[in-house]
Amino acid sequence: MKPGPLRRIGFRLCAWVLALPVLAPVLWLASAGGTPAPEVWPHLWREVLPQAAVNTLGLLALIAGIALPVGVGLAWASARYEWPGRRFFDWALVLPLALPGYVVAFVYVGLADYAGPLQGAWRALGLPAGAFPELRSVPGAALVLALVLYPYLFLITRAAFLRQGSAAMDAARMLGHSPRSAFLRAALPLARPAWVAGLSLVLLEALADFGAVSILGVDTLATSVYKAWFGLYSLPAAAQLALGLVGVVALVLVLERLGRGRARHADRQPLPPPRRRLRGWHGWVVASFAGAVLLLGFVLPMAQLAWWSWQMRADLPAVGEAARNTAGLAMMATLLVLALSLLFVVLGRRSGGDRWVRAAGFSAGLGYAMPGTVLAVGAMWWLVAVERGHPWLATLALSSSLAGILLALSARFLRVGHEATEAAFDLLRPSLLESARLLGAPPRRRLLRVALPLLRPGLIAAALLVLVEVVKELPATLMLRPFGWDTLAVKVYAYTSEGLWQQAAWPGLWLCLVGLLPVWWLVRQQG
């Protein structure tokens, strides 16, 4: 039943009132153009931006060149062929998603140091020390990030290949194409919406990365925002750089849309296509490649973290306060995001799917495509403007409290909570509640006995996904935290900034273990 005109207006007003504070960090950056920083910009143009822009473009190109063949190739092998260990690798290849990029980066930097095992083995083989590949470079950063981010391509593209069935490949083979040619000219173009979407996710995550590139000594546009604020002490310049980074993000999204064109996902087939068994050395080559990717992207970093943590086990209490701060921040941000998600979903359904209400919910989730550095600068810029415009709010010190972190995290991860909550409500069919009402159950009983049991798994999944993202978030927490208030992610950054790889192992290991929770849930969903 459609609501009346007045109720529709009320629903729209409520939705946009909820959306505007979450949108404020990004929208307020538009005012940065009117606040130039002439003493800072000459230095930025001369010393920072040219190299940062070149590094960013080179990093994105190299990550695409590594992650695309790895992710798509493994997805095709998993969806269409049977080879040794295929069932194990179907879920194991997702595990690198659990590891924050900055944790994997400092593990490999520690391993590749002059006194580390990799360079030690290199010299033991009689090879010249100067010829050892430099990890702290754009190619090194691209390799590390590609090892962490390729599962996005693997998951999305594998699902598309399974939906295709075998008709396209069979038709191409009947026309005389070889298996490789049939894949390139039939299967891959049909899956274009999937692998383009997966690649755009990889590039957006790489564009937003701050911790890994900082540890690896690569200046990008994301680190330039941080340097303008904390190195040159110019919040206006940081806001202007953040606004430019928003433009780069928008360009990636436009290219992703153009890359898809008018293509759509293939229709779902009644059953997955039959897998062809790879016999002899062919199957072992695929298994060896998958094992090497898993070893470099998950097993080796986790094993080294565990070894360093065991060596530094006496320092466990040193991260106790950071762990408590992390848990408290994660709980507050998760509850806030979950409450906003529930309100948007309920408003959308009570309004009968009103397009303006849906637009408010969609707009509020746009922050998920924004780097944490952008949202941090936008949140601080807005809070400072609010305090200047309303002096009585200055006594609350919003800009130097947890309010800025919660605002940035809500804008960053509302889309995650909203989509998971919407999926939970899709299971709540109106006929079930109507049946309970016809059986005489009062509203409170219908809520407790019918609605909540159906919503609980989806809401728990939403809370879990948001909580883990908040725990791993580095730039927004680092840039907005009150003085002396550290989280596990900030501890990792502080230790690695001083080259203390072993001391960073404990907080890094805890972050990875927490990150395994949503991956475990994802693997269960796949099963």
Side-chain angles (χ1 to χ4, degrees), residues 349 424-434 450 454:
R349 292 176 178 267
F425 270 81
D426 287 340
L427 298 176
L428 190 62
R429 290 178 294 174
S431 59
L432 296 176
L433 296 176
E434 188 64 23
V450 179
L454 290 173

Side-chain angles (χ1 to χ4, degrees), residues 21-79:
V22 183
L23 280 170
V26 177
L27 295 177
W28 204 256
L29 286 176
S31 66
T35 312
E39 72 284 358
V40 174
W41 270 106
H43 173 77
L44 290 175
W45 278 115
R46 185 175 60 255
E47 304 292 341
V48 178
L49 286 181
Q51 189 63 49
V54 171
N55 288 347
T56 301
L57 292 176
L59 186 67
L60 295 180
L62 287 174
I63 289 175
I66 298 172
L68 192 61
V70 171
V72 175
L74 290 173
W76 179 250
S78 174

Side-chain angles (χ1 to χ4, degrees), residues 339-406:
L340 288 172
S341 301
L342 283 169
L343 288 171
F344 278 119
V345 172
V346 170
L347 285 172
R349 292 176 178 267
R350 292 292 301 274
S351 66
D354 183 83
R355 61 180 180 178
W356 289 104
V357 175
R358 293 201 311 269
F362 175 80
S363 300
L366 290 177
Y368 187 63
M370 303 298 169
T373 49
V374 169
L375 293 174
V377 173
M380 178 60 72
W381 190 252
W382 183 57
L383 290 175
V384 168
V386 169
E387 289 179 350
R388 288 175 178 173
H390 304 82
W392 60 275
L393 286 175
T395 57
L396 300 177
L398 295 176
S399 59
S400 58
S401 67
L402 292 181
I405 304 179
L406 291 174

Side-chain angles (χ1 to χ4, degrees), residues 74 83-84 89 281-295:
L74 290 173
W83 37 277
F89 285 110
W281 63 271
H282 296 88
W284 287 107
V285 167
V286 175
S288 299
F289 178 70
V293 171
L294 181 63
L295 175 68

Side-chain angles (χ1 to χ4, degrees), residues 64-133:
I66 298 172
L68 192 61
V70 171
V72 175
L74 290 173
W76 179 250
S78 174
R80 293 305 180 92
Y81 295 97
E82 194 66 56
W83 37 277
R86 194 268 309 168
R87 292 178 181 272
F88 166 76
F89 285 110
D90 279 353
W91 62 265
L93 288 170
V94 185
L95 292 176
L97 278 180
L99 309 187
Y102 52 87
V103 172
V104 178
F106 89 74
V107 168
Y108 274 108
V109 169
L111 289 173
D113 269 350
Y114 184 82
L118 295 182
Q119 286 212 45
W122 180 274
R123 293 192 301 271
L125 293 174
L127 299 172
F132 187 81

Side-chain angles (χ1 to χ4, degrees), residues 40-41 43-56 207-211 213-214 218-245 371 373-374 377 475 479 493:
V40 174
W41 270 106
H43 173 77
L44 290 175
W45 278 115
R46 185 175 60 255
E47 304 292 341
V48 178
L49 286 181
Q51 189 63 49
V54 171
N55 288 347
T56 301
L207 192 61
D209 180 79
F210 169 81
V213 293
S214 297
V218 176
D219 290 330
T220 64
L221 293 176
T223 61
S224 299
V225 176
Y226 180 84
K227 287 183 177 181
W229 186 353
F230 291 92
L232 301 176
Y233 304 103
S234 176
L235 182 59
Q240 292 162 6
L241 283 174
L243 189 61
L245 191 53
T373 49
V374 169
V377 173
M479 297 170 72
Y493 182 81

